[in-house]
Amino acid sequence: MIRKVERSTEVLSHLRVLEIGSSAAASYCARLFSDFGANVQKVECPAGDPIRRSAPLTPGGQSGWFAFLNLNKSSVVVDATDPNAIAQLTALIEDCDILVDGRDIDSADCPAIDIAAIRQRRPGLIYVEASWFGREGPYARFAATDSTIRALAGLIKLAGPAEGPPLHAPDFQCGILAGLWGFIAAASSAVAGMRGVGRNWSWSLSIFEASLALSEYQMFEAYQRGPVMRRIGINRFWPNFPVGIYETKKGWLGITTITPAQWRAFCDMLSLSKLRDDPAMVLGADRLQYMEQIERQFIPRLKTRTAQEWFVEGLKRKIPIVPVPEVSDLMVDAQMKERGAIVPVLLDQEEGLTVGSMQRLTSTPPRRGGKVPVPGEQQTISKSRQNLTDTTTIASDCIDAGGPPLRGVRVIDFSMGWAGPLCTRTLADLGADVIKIEAIQYPDWWRGVDRRPAYIEDRMYEKTARFCMANRNKRGITLDLTRRQGRTLAKRLAARADIVVDNYSADVLPKLGLGYDVLRKLNPRLVMMSMSAFGTKGVRRNCRAYGSTLEQGSGLPSVIGKAGGPPVMSHIAFGDAVGGLNGCAAVLVALIHARSVGQGQFIDLAQVECMMPFAAPWITVHSIAGTPPVRYGNRHPQFVPHGCFRCSGEDNWIVVAATDASMWQRLAALIGRSDWAMNSSLSSAEQRRGIEDVIESSIESWTLTRDPDQAMSELQAAKVAAGVARLPIDLLNDPHLRSRGYLQEVERAFIGLHPQPSMPIRDGEAPYAIRAPAPTLGQHNNEILSGLLGLSDAEIAHLARERIVGTKMVSEAELANARSAASN
């Protein structure tokens, strides 16, 4: 039986959010507000949001996707044929604080309204408008689906068997990513309103560009290294090996080896000393050349023990490995339920489970479950109601009506790699002053894991494009946190900050004396977020993890691929970008609370939970029906046809989908099958499913005679959803991105002029300008130590002599000598 929704301190209960149109991006953006108590009204036509009919469906015909996207909202039915429809909708908009608009994706029979006129009458309204590709550009009016967007975004071509076709996952991955970006835009505007910036915020959100949050790492690796990436097999990805999913005696095991130490530990665990000691296999990119040889040696050994036994062994050796769960495993996971990652949901008369909020705020937690509204149903809401500006404000000298929304916010960034730095980069892009803390002994590992002398001497750690991509707009300082003086300075910085972020393992900062229990005494208003892989409690809390580990442990691979095949990964580091965006969303919610009541809090974000929304509908349907998820390969539970088709040339592919009867008829006529187009017995997707093989063969006969861009052009001219399966390197010259100024040129020491990706959210026609390149190691030591903390030149010089601060990375040999001296 569904229990009453837990509503502790609901931090967003003062907000009214209105959602119009039909879009997974808009729905997920609004769902994130409802998770924290906002009064979210969803406007639907009399037939209901089309997503209500999106597969997979429960036995009672309820959509698993709709359930996840619309938990705890209310529904308002507005009939466009009613003479009062425009007045009714206008009144709803004028009474809300935030308007989330998905009409450009699907108007869903929403009445036509003049948003600009309403915004003039409603000062302070925050407006977020989602579209597939943005308002302008060559793709602006393209027909699209989630899969065609991912194809164009470089997220399909590198996954799947080497011979093809590339493998892609079911919907709505792009909608979830874009929903996060929309929430970040709206929440940052709410923060600005709390400091007295009374702007009329109007954000345009490109779902295509939002999806590039997953592509940007590989895009910039390709920028630096050239066309080195290709599809190399299921669960294999450049530039590291092994990073994949492997069969054990019982169950599947996700394995990731990045650093030389992890590779050595993995070989030791499997008693493969020859592989461990081979100098040709020190780095992951080197091991890619020997994949078959390496797998022949370790795959048989993995089958001698269960996935759980290997996981326990991996914990001891600090190897990033994790059992790969089925959907049924997630629902009985005690830790998931305890943390609220899996929550109860009521769908009309059906009781089931769905994925809860990932933003695990500890003082003002999100709701744990709830109800999905039937069309026209109003749900009970909190009574709190106040204007965004009726709150505690910060110093008036920070008010700037023309500046970015987070100007005046200070962030201390202890994070490394991609997830944490993407979180703090987004805060910096939105105007926050982000101070990144590294150490010359332990710099951010995204500068490179190679510690050999030549790498250090040539300062190769200053030349990695991925580090520059993730750390722009920040100031950089080095502090050795293993030393008392370094920790003291870090505490002084935290005492003056609004937010602290780290993505170390759960115990690292507490063991250094920099945990939240210490820092909150210095700064009660501080919001501190731990972005560990599995949270701060439980048996997996000490598990080492990368973005690949998070995908492996999320349940998503179990619903991707073909029936009877292995669980399939979609990306080399899927979990990193997703964790980073969820982290950014979480700290913004906590910052709104801190600005309201003057009290900070701790956020226990488990990055593996951030991946679970992508598997949410299958969790819901399985919890009610009890049957395992159907795996469709490149097909779709709702659209026929839907697949990835070979074009002329070497390894060229295009994703094509027919989303309704009229699109199917246009597609059939285009490929020379007018008989199909006129055949009423093929008007529905289920009727076409009986000849799906034949339809796919005919489509591929047509695409094989065309290069992919020509095929896309002809299909889009017929208003058929289609997208070329791009490689990440192709995005550097994508005509649509180029026309929109998505890539901005930035000058930086050691690498010179280089491109940087823009945010997919725009408050105006142009993207937010990038203010500064990523810092070189310790670049802002003097500026921060002197200007912010007031240290004298003599004090700073002493810190440099003691190597507590510095600007040059310490080699492995120097580090070993220092450890030896300390122990003596």
Side-chain angles (χ1 to χ4, degrees):
M1 184 174 181
I2 297 293
R3 292 182 173 84
K4 186 178 178 181
V5 176
E6 269 187 35
R7 298 189 181 182
S8 301
T9 307
E10 296 196 301
V11 63
L12 301 183
S13 61
H14 62 289
L15 293 177
R16 289 185 183 269
V17 180
L18 191 72
E19 176 195 336
I20 60 177
S22 177
S23 160
S27 287
Y28 191 51
C29 173
R31 149 82 200 257
L32 292 166
F33 281 99
S34 72
D35 282 341
F36 287 93
N39 174 9
V40 179
Q41 300 278 332
K42 179 180 184 65
V43 175
E44 302 186 75
C45 63
D49 186 334
I51 297 177
R52 287 186 181 272
R53 298 179 283 282
S54 293
L57 303 175
T58 68
Q62 302 291 319
S63 167
W65 275 118
F66 187 87
F68 169 71
L69 294 170
N70 293 285
L71 195 65
N72 289 319
K73 298 178 185 178
S74 292
S75 170
V76 179
V77 173
V78 176
D79 187 346
T81 65
D82 187 326
N84 296 318
I86 292 177
Q88 181 185 359
L89 185 56
T90 299
L92 287 168
I93 295 172
E94 291 183 341
D95 191 44
C96 76
D97 301 297
I98 300 169
L99 175 62
V100 185
D101 188 349
R103 291 176 301 156
D104 197 68
I105 309 302
D106 187 338
S107 67
D109 293 328
C110 186
I113 45 175
D114 188 344
I115 296 291
I118 295 173
R119 291 180 62 237
Q120 284 187 338
R121 299 193 301 270
R122 179 65 171 81
L125 176 68
I126 298 169
Y127 179 52
V128 180
E129 178 187 33
S131 62
W132 285 121
F133 295 100
R135 296 168 180 160
E136 304 292 338
Y139 304 162
R141 304 324 307 169
F142 272 16
T145 68
D146 202 81
S147 294
T148 63
I149 290 286
R150 277 183 275 134
L152 285 166
L155 295 173
I156 284 177
K157 194 168 184 179
L158 291 175
E163 67 280 4
L167 266 175
H168 52 103
D171 297 339
F172 290 105
Q173 290 193 1
C174 296
I176 291 169
L177 290 165
L180 281 162
W181 277 111
F183 180 83
I184 288 166
S188 66
S189 302
V191 171
M194 298 176 75
R195 72 171 207 251
V197 179
R199 283 177 59 183
N200 234 337
W201 295 94
S202 178
W203 297 93
S204 61
L205 165 66
S206 163
I207 295 175
F208 173 50
E209 290 170 20
S211 303
L212 299 182
L214 283 175
S215 310
E216 60 180 22
Y217 156 57
Q218 291 167 307
M219 189 193 318
F220 287 96
E221 287 292 286
Y223 164 78
Q224 186 164 39
R225 301 170 186 263
V228 295
M229 296 180 211
R230 67 187 192 282
R231 195 173 54 262
I232 54 178
I234 292 175
N235 294 325
R236 290 177 174 174
F237 300 90
W238 186 93
N240 289 298
F241 181 83
V243 175
I245 295 173
Y246 295 93
E247 192 173 7
T248 69
K249 184 177 181 180
K250 180 182 178 182
W252 297 85
L253 187 70
I255 296 171
T256 301
T257 57
I258 303 292
T259 68
Q262 289 164 356
W263 168 245
R264 291 193 296 268
F266 178 69
C267 291
D268 284 340
M269 183 176 75
L270 297 173
S271 301
L272 295 170
S273 57
K274 287 186 178 180
L275 289 180
R276 178 198 63 198
D277 298 332
D278 189 333
M281 298 185 185
V282 173
L283 299 178
D286 300 330
R287 296 191 290 274
L288 282 173
Q289 303 172 56
Y290 306 99
M291 293 185 297
E292 305 291 346
Q293 174 188 334
I294 294 171
E295 284 185 343
R296 279 197 300 270
Q297 296 190 56
F298 77 71
I299 286 178
R301 301 195 182 203
L302 286 176
K303 292 180 179 179
T304 62
R305 302 176 75 176
T306 68
Q308 183 60 35
E309 288 170 339
W310 285 124
F311 171 69
V312 172
E313 192 64 34
L315 275 178
K316 298 175 187 175
R317 300 172 183 267
K318 300 181 179 180
I319 307 169
I321 58 178
V322 64
V324 177
E326 298 285 339
V327 166
S328 56
D329 298 325
L330 297 174
M331 294 189 299
V332 296
D333 188 309
Q335 183 174 334
M336 294 285 187
K337 288 187 175 180
E338 181 183 350
R339 287 179 53 84
I342 301 288
V343 296
V345 60
L346 180 64
L347 305 85
D348 199 2
Q349 301 301 312
E350 294 179 297
E351 297 181 359
L353 300 171
T354 191
V355 174
S357 170
M358 296 88 243
Q359 287 76 43
R360 199 74 60 227
L361 278 64
T362 54
S363 297
T364 58
R367 298 176 177 181
R368 285 186 174 239
K371 190 175 187 297
V372 181
V374 297
E377 179 185 9
Q378 292 289 300
Q379 299 207 52
T380 303
I381 59 171
S382 302
K383 300 298 183 184
S384 174
R385 182 82 175 104
Q386 61 187 30
N387 187 276
L388 286 176
T389 56
D390 294 339
T391 51
T392 304
T393 60
I394 62 172
S396 61
D397 61 358
C398 291
I399 296 176
D400 179 2
L406 297 186
R407 180 168 291 177
V409 174
R410 179 166 292 145
V411 182
I412 307 302
D413 181 9
F414 289 105
S415 69
M416 297 186 180
W418 189 6
L422 175 60
C423 166
T424 53
R425 184 193 83 183
T426 304
L427 298 171
D429 287 349
L430 290 167
D433 174 23
V434 177
I435 298 174
K436 181 178 180 67
I437 296 181
E438 303 178 78
I440 57 174
Q441 297 86 354
Y442 308 99
D444 187 331
W445 70 269
W446 249 30
R447 292 181 181 272
V449 297
D450 193 341
R451 302 298 291 264
R452 291 173 292 190
Y455 190 88
I456 307 294
E457 290 165 10
D458 293 340
R459 290 213 180 177
M460 297 303 294
Y461 56 87
E462 296 290 12
K463 302 174 185 179
T464 51
R466 62 177 179 264
F467 175 85
C468 295
M469 172 203 79
N471 292 285
R472 58 149 186 256
N473 285 337
K474 303 177 185 180
R475 296 194 285 171
I477 184 173
T478 51
L479 293 174
D480 184 354
L481 300 179
T482 67
R483 311 270 293 281
R484 180 183 56 79
Q485 298 101 313
R487 294 192 295 273
T488 298
L489 292 169
K491 289 177 183 177
R492 291 179 62 185
L493 288 172
R496 297 165 176 244
D498 298 284
I499 299 166
V500 167
V501 174
D502 88 89
N503 65 344
Y504 301 133
S505 296
D507 286 337
V508 171
L509 284 186
K511 284 183 177 178
L512 289 170
L514 295 171
Y516 179 65
D517 59 333
V518 173
L519 298 185
R520 69 178 176 181
K521 294 175 182 176
L522 304 173
N523 181 358
R525 294 169 59 94
L526 184 68
V527 171
M528 184 170 183
M529 179 169 65
S530 166
M531 295 178 63
S532 62
F534 295 93
T536 60
K537 298 178 181 178
V539 295
R540 289 168 286 189
R541 65 189 302 273
N542 293 318
C543 179
R544 301 298 172 99
Y546 295 97
S548 49
T549 319
L550 305 173
E551 182 182 6
Q552 292 159 357
S554 69
L556 178 62
S558 71
V559 302
I560 298 176
K562 296 181 178 180
V568 175
M569 292 172 60
S570 299
H571 193 282
I572 180 68
F574 200 156
D576 279 313
V578 175
L581 295 177
N582 275 280
C584 185
V587 295
L588 288 173
V589 174
L591 185 61
I592 290 171
H593 175 257
R595 291 285 168 89
S596 297
V597 303
Q599 188 67 43
Q601 63 181 296
F602 181 69
I603 303 171
D604 180 14
L605 188 105
Q607 290 190 60
V608 71
E609 295 171 8
C610 299
M611 285 295 302
M612 291 174 61
F614 300 103
W618 291 274
I619 292 171
T620 298
V621 172
H622 182 79
S623 71
I624 298 171
T627 54
V630 176
R631 299 170 72 188
Y632 286 88
N634 282 347
R635 291 178 173 176
H636 193 276
Q638 188 174 356
F639 306 143
V640 179
H642 180 280
C644 193
F645 302 95
R646 191 184 295 273
C647 297
S648 66
E650 184 180 353
D651 199 35
N652 287 331
W653 304 85
I654 188 168
V655 171
V656 181
T659 61
D660 57 35
S662 61
M663 190 178 289
W664 155 249
Q665 290 166 355
R666 295 192 297 272
L667 172 61
L670 181 66
I671 65 173
R673 292 304 304 259
S674 297
D675 57 323
W676 284 350
M678 294 184 292
N679 188 340
S680 61
S681 68
L682 297 177
S683 59
S684 76
E686 285 311 306
Q687 289 170 319
R688 295 192 293 274
R689 201 174 293 282
I691 60 166
E692 198 162 10
D693 289 337
V694 178
I695 292 172
E696 289 175 348
S697 178
S698 295
I699 294 172
E700 189 147 285
S701 294
W702 184 86
T703 58
L704 275 169
T705 64
R706 293 157 172 82
D707 72 51
D709 280 282
Q710 179 190 359
M712 181 172 72
S713 178
E714 292 185 43
L715 287 159
Q716 288 291 350
K719 293 298 179 184
V720 174
V724 175
R726 306 273 193 215
L727 284 170
I729 197 170
D730 299 333
L731 300 172
L732 296 169
N733 294 299
D734 182 272
H736 184 79
L737 297 177
R738 186 176 293 275
S739 75
R740 286 173 53 80
Y742 172 79
L743 293 172
Q744 302 182 44
E745 294 289 326
V746 178
E747 182 76 30
R748 183 184 181 272
F750 296 100
I751 62 172
L753 201 65
H754 66 287
Q756 283 282 332
S758 299
M759 288 191 296
I761 46 177
R762 300 186 179 193
D763 178 30
E765 293 302 317
Y768 267 53
I770 294 166
R771 304 184 305 277
T776 57
L777 192 62
Q779 178 180 342
H780 300 100
N781 283 349
N782 286 1
E783 178 181 312
I784 293 168
L785 293 173
S786 173
L788 187 59
L789 298 184
L791 271 63
S792 67
D793 290 345
E795 289 173 312
I796 295 172
H798 171 75
L799 292 171
R801 285 194 301 272
E802 293 295 312
R803 309 191 87 173
I804 292 165
V805 303
T807 57
K808 293 184 180 180
M809 184 175 172
V810 172
S811 71
E812 204 163 46
E814 291 176 293
L815 204 55
N817 290 337
R819 290 195 196 104
S820 177
S823 64
N824 293 330

